């Protein structure tokens, strides 16, 4: 096993041990203080102390489902992952370790993209029952990409003289999108009451 893969396996094992210990405390001891950790949530930084007194250094992969992470994971996916590992203290932990191992690869991908000034933003499957959730997801991705764009490096001399023009073109495109939303929403009777609270640009 390579050093990198060994590191991933070791981190996954630590993350799984934390979840399993927290799961036992939640279910067996009815200690709701460990609910977040038992559901694969973000543990406290530093070291986690198990019931037996063992100190476990919290690995970075334990943060992968955190709301503050620089990537967005669908709430339904997070719920499904958490449910698949409910009562993990009753298992041998192999499935949980495999999940955290996969998380580690995903986390490294997202961090690498961030270093390259890119973002993890998968396409969202749109149906009538999740239309607004899909649009909201895409708008949040646009919002996170645009914020601070003027201070980000452009990586290439050819952008030097075109930055202003490209920003102007982007602003024009965003305004056109807003107008399209306004046009679509005008068909809804309830929109008239909300329009007064909609900012104009």
């Amino acid at each position: 096993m390579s050093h990198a893969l060994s590191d991933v396996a070791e981190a996954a094992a630590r993350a799984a041990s934390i979840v399993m210990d927290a799961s036992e405390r939640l279910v067996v001891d009815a200690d709701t203080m460990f609910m977040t950790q038992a559901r694969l949530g973000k543990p406290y930084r530093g070291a986690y102390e198990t019931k037996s007194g063992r100190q476990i250094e919290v690995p970075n992969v334990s943060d992968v489902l955190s709301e503050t992470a620089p990537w967005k994971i669908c709430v339904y996916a997070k719920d499904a992952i958490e449910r698949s590992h409910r009562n993990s203290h009753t298992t041998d932990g192999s499935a949980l370790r495999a999940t955290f191992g996969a998380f580690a690869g995903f986390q490294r991908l997202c961090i690498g993209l961030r270093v390259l000034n890119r973002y993890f933003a998968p396409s969202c499957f749109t149906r009538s029952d999740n239309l607004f959730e899909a649009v909201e997801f895409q708008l949040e991705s646009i919002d996170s990409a645009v914020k601070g764009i003027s201070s980000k490096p452009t990586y290439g001399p050819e952008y030097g003289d075109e930055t202003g023009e490209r920003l102007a073109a982007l602003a024009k495109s965003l305004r056109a999108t807003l107008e399209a939303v306004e046009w679509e929403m005008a068909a809804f009777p309830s929109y008239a009451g909300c329009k007064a609270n909609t900012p104009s640009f």
Side-chain angles (χ1 to χ4, degrees):
M1 181 180 290
S2 70
H3 181 66
L5 291 178
S6 177
D7 288 347
V8 168
E10 191 271 337
R14 279 189 283 143
S17 294
I18 291 171
V19 173
M20 294 171 71
D21 182 80
S23 176
E24 181 177 358
R25 289 179 168 186
L26 175 65
V27 177
V28 178
D29 302 337
D31 190 341
T32 57
M33 291 291 292
F34 293 90
M35 182 180 296
T36 298
Q37 295 94 323
R39 296 182 176 177
L40 284 71
K42 182 178 181 180
Y44 298 110
R45 286 291 186 183
Y48 174 94
E49 184 173 346
T50 66
K51 285 181 64 175
S52 63
R54 175 190 171 199
Q55 296 286 325
I56 302 177
E57 194 68 23
V58 177
N60 289 334
V61 72
S62 289
D63 292 350
V64 76
L65 295 181
S66 171
E67 292 292 339
T68 60
W71 49 77
K72 187 176 180 68
I73 299 178
C74 174
V75 64
Y76 303 113
K78 287 196 287 189
D79 182 66
I81 293 168
E82 178 269 311
R83 286 178 180 274
S84 69
H85 293 294
R86 187 159 290 179
N87 297 329
S88 61
H89 64 287
T90 63
T91 72
D92 63 2
S94 58
L96 191 56
R97 288 191 294 274
T99 293
F100 276 113
F103 278 165
F106 168 73
Q107 188 178 50
R108 289 185 176 188
L109 167 66
C110 292
I111 292 173
L113 288 174
R114 191 183 188 191
V115 169
L116 296 172
N117 202 30
R118 295 294 183 267
Y119 302 88
F120 177 75
S123 60
C124 194
F125 179 60
T126 306
R127 300 186 310 185
S128 59
D129 60 350
N130 72 343
L131 173 61
F132 288 100
E133 287 82 358
V135 173
E136 181 182 8
F137 180 95
Q138 292 160 356
L139 288 176
E140 287 178 355
S141 297
I142 293 171
D143 184 56
S144 65
V146 171
K147 281 183 177 177
I149 192 172
S150 60
S151 63
K152 293 176 182 176
T154 52
Y155 297 110
E158 68 275 11
Y159 290 109
D161 299 329
E162 300 178 7
T163 300
E165 294 178 4
R166 294 173 79 93
L167 285 173
L170 179 61
K172 182 178 179 180
S173 176
L174 290 173
R175 288 192 179 95
T177 298
L178 179 61
E179 290 174 2
V181 173
E182 291 272 5
W183 187 87
E184 292 286 350
M185 294 302 296
F188 288 84
S190 60
Y191 178 63
C194 300
K195 189 171 184 180
N197 299 321
T198 303
S200 58
F201 298 92

